[in-house]
Amino acid sequence: QTIITYFDEISPKEISFKIVIHPDSTEDEILKFLEAPTQLARALCSDTSANYVRDLVVPVFFDEPNTSSRCAGLIKSILIDQRNPRTGLRYGDSEKLWFIGAINPAGGHYATQVTHPSLVPHQCQFMSIIEDQQEKYIERLLNSTVNKQLGKLGGVDDSVLIKLTAIIHELQARCHKLFVDGDYGHAVSQRDLHRVVWLIETIYELLKHSKMKADDKKEYFAAVAVAAVHYTYVTRFPQTHNCRKIINDELKTLVDGKKVFPSNVDLNKSRQEVLRVIVNRDNFKINDGIALTNTLCENIFATLLACMSPIHKKTPVAIIGDSGMGKTLSNRIVEWNLKGTLSQTQYCQKLPKADFRYIQGSSTTTSEQVDKVCSRAKASQLKEKDSACTVLFDIN
């Protein structure tokens, strides 16, 4: 309570700070960002009579500082010399200010710069989770998150969670091997594990508002879980890429081998059934002249994920396909239907109101144009916190 009172007096908005560096970052942006943590560190140092703040520090986190070449010198001055090269202000004079940098390895498929030589001796290199630990990590992630979210349905069969843990672990390792072998340039990470769990939660959130009974929803858990795994690991590869078929076949083999479903259940059919329970003409007002194909259903579903994302995990969704596949149409259908309490169907009335902002991308689109639309979207989201302000970036 004493610490809370102290911070109420100096009124800091936060006590830890993070800046994401990117190729377009400027020195002015970085120095502007440092003003708040520097001010807070000075305030903590100035009150020597306050014993309760003696051990408090202000961590400043630089995320991916080696993605920007034009700010490399400034970042080196801040992290190593602990000073502002423009003003001469020494950040190191404050023992309360701690700098941390997360650096991705240079080379490969990730756009990074070579780490500044003076930073190399200070690196602590971390490896990814080793295999036996990863399986335990997945198991705990599923048990703690999925069971907590779905407890209102009476819990989930533990045997299904054990099978699901093994399937995710195998697919994670398989995708990693494809990346290492150079067949495809998108590595997997812990983000993919969290994405599976988020998808399970979100699909259930969408399923929850349908007309299904609670017992039916429990029966659907295996199908929902496998659908989440499919959208995490299979659809990350382009339609025509050989890796997509490899991972899809691997998923089918694992699902059949683990006996997740009865032997007469088709994997693709079960996923389509889940989609059709969510995306249908009872839940969404769709013009009779529009054919509700499987492709359009999946595009509408992906757009729904993007709308649910700002409310939950802020996970971006990319819909990729040839012209005429219904990508823009699916966005319009979701926009027409998600009007909050003014929606025309009971199902959509229970979903967040969609506030769409469009960016028509082309070869001449600039970072400033994108930033302008995103800034407006962020301002709108702050005003209407119950709405889903979603930026749709249409790239030709």
Side-chain angles (χ1 to χ4, degrees):
Q1 183 60 45
T2 308
I3 294 174
I4 292 173
T5 303
Y6 177 79
F7 279 105
D8 280 343
E9 292 173 358
I10 63 174
S11 301
K13 292 184 178 180
E14 49 193 328
I15 59 171
S16 63
F17 299 82
K18 173 184 174 181
I19 183 170
V20 179
I21 307 297
H22 53 84
D24 285 337
S25 294
T26 65
E27 292 190 353
D28 289 338
E29 290 173 350
I30 295 174
L31 293 174
K32 179 70 175 175
F33 157 78
L34 284 173
E35 290 178 3
T38 303
Q39 182 180 8
L40 176 58
R42 284 175 178 171
L44 292 174
C45 288
S46 63
D47 196 342
T48 54
S49 63
N51 293 329
Y52 44 83
V53 297
R54 183 177 299 161
D55 298 326
L56 291 178
V57 296
V58 181
V60 181
F61 181 59
F62 283 80
D63 197 6
E64 302 181 357
N66 61 328
T67 56
S68 174
S69 58
R70 56 180 175 175
C71 297
L74 174 66
I75 293 172
K76 176 262 178 185
S77 294
I78 293 170
L79 297 182
I80 301 300
D81 304 333
Q82 302 254 317
R83 62 185 291 275
N84 182 331
R86 291 189 186 178
T87 63
L89 175 67
R90 294 191 57 82
Y91 299 114
D93 290 343
S94 170
E95 296 179 355
K96 301 292 184 182
L97 206 56
W98 285 17
F99 292 106
I100 308 167
I103 298 175
N104 284 316
H109 299 277
Y110 198 79
T112 59
Q113 308 295 324
V114 177
T115 305
H116 195 284
S118 62
L119 289 173
V120 173
H122 300 275
Q123 289 183 5
C124 297
Q125 302 210 22
F126 295 91
M127 298 178 65
S128 56
I129 301 177
I130 57 179
E131 285 201 18
D132 58 338
Q133 291 178 341
Q134 180 170 272
E135 192 161 9
K136 183 65 68 176
Y137 180 80
I138 297 168
E139 180 185 341
R140 291 192 177 186
L141 187 64
L142 287 171
N143 274 297
S144 63
T145 309
V146 175
N147 265 329
K148 180 180 178 182
Q149 292 293 327
L150 307 183
K152 52 197 164 191
L153 298 180
V156 176
D157 187 352
D158 287 341
S159 65
V160 176
L161 284 179
I162 293 171
K163 295 172 183 177
L164 183 59
T165 298
I167 289 172
I168 295 172
H169 178 61
E170 291 284 343
L171 287 179
Q172 186 87 355
R174 189 75 169 108
C175 286
H176 179 70
K177 187 175 187 308
L178 289 173
F179 169 73
V180 171
D181 290 346
D183 288 343
Y184 197 67
H186 288 178
V188 289
S189 66
Q190 289 185 51
R191 292 189 184 98
D192 297 280
L193 305 180
H194 287 271
R195 188 172 291 120
V196 173
V197 174
W198 172 74
L199 279 169
I200 292 173
E201 293 174 2
T202 306
I203 295 172
Y204 252 99
E205 185 76 16
L206 293 169
L207 207 61
K208 180 178 70 176
H209 302 306
S210 66
K211 297 178 181 179
M212 296 173 63
K213 296 177 182 178
D215 289 341
D216 294 330
K217 292 175 186 174
K218 287 174 64 177
E219 300 255 332
Y220 263 83
F221 175 74
V224 168
V226 172
V229 172
H230 174 88
Y231 289 121
T232 301
Y233 294 103
V234 178
T235 59
R236 68 189 290 123
F237 300 105
Q239 286 273 7
T240 56
H241 202 285
N242 185 48
C243 289
R244 185 176 180 124
K245 184 179 185 305
I246 292 173
I247 296 300
N248 193 44
D249 291 345
E250 184 89 6
L251 175 59
K252 189 177 187 311
T253 301
L254 288 168
V255 169
D256 292 343
K258 304 291 182 185
K259 293 181 170 44
V260 176
F261 298 123
S263 57
N264 60 337
V265 173
D266 179 77
L267 182 62
N268 290 327
K269 187 178 178 182
S270 70
R271 192 179 73 254
Q272 289 297 333
E273 284 179 0
V274 171
L275 282 181
R276 293 290 182 171
V277 170
I278 296 169
V279 183
N280 55 63
R281 294 186 188 276
D282 290 332
N283 290 345
F284 293 86
K285 283 289 183 182
I286 300 174
N287 193 300
D288 291 337
I290 298 175
L292 203 54
T293 62
N294 288 343
T295 301
L296 183 59
C297 277
E298 289 205 327
N299 287 343
I300 292 173
F301 173 71
T303 306
L304 280 173
L305 292 180
C307 292
M308 299 293 285
S309 181
I311 307 299
H312 299 291
K313 302 290 185 183
K314 297 184 178 179
T315 300
V317 177
I319 305 175
I320 302 170
D322 295 331
S323 297
M325 297 295 289
K327 301 185 297 297
T328 302
L329 176 61
S330 63
N331 295 337
R332 298 298 183 187
I333 289 173
V334 173
E335 185 177 20
W336 294 333
N337 280 272
L338 264 59
K339 302 292 185 183
T341 55
L342 299 178
S343 300
Q344 296 185 52
T345 65
Q346 291 184 355
Y347 179 83
C348 288
Q349 287 173 5
K350 298 172 184 177
L351 297 180
K353 177 184 175 183
D355 180 9
F356 281 8
R357 304 302 170 99
Y358 289 91
I359 301 174
Q360 186 63 51
S362 69
S363 58
T364 59
T365 302
T366 64
S367 299
E368 289 74 18
Q369 291 172 332
V370 175
D371 185 59
K372 189 174 182 180
V373 175
C374 292
S375 296
R376 289 176 178 174
K378 184 178 180 180
S380 178
Q381 184 71 74
L382 291 173
K383 288 181 182 178
E384 297 186 43
K385 295 187 178 180
D386 293 331
S387 68
C389 193
T390 306
V391 177
L392 297 174
F393 202 158
D394 196 347
I395 307 175
N396 294 323

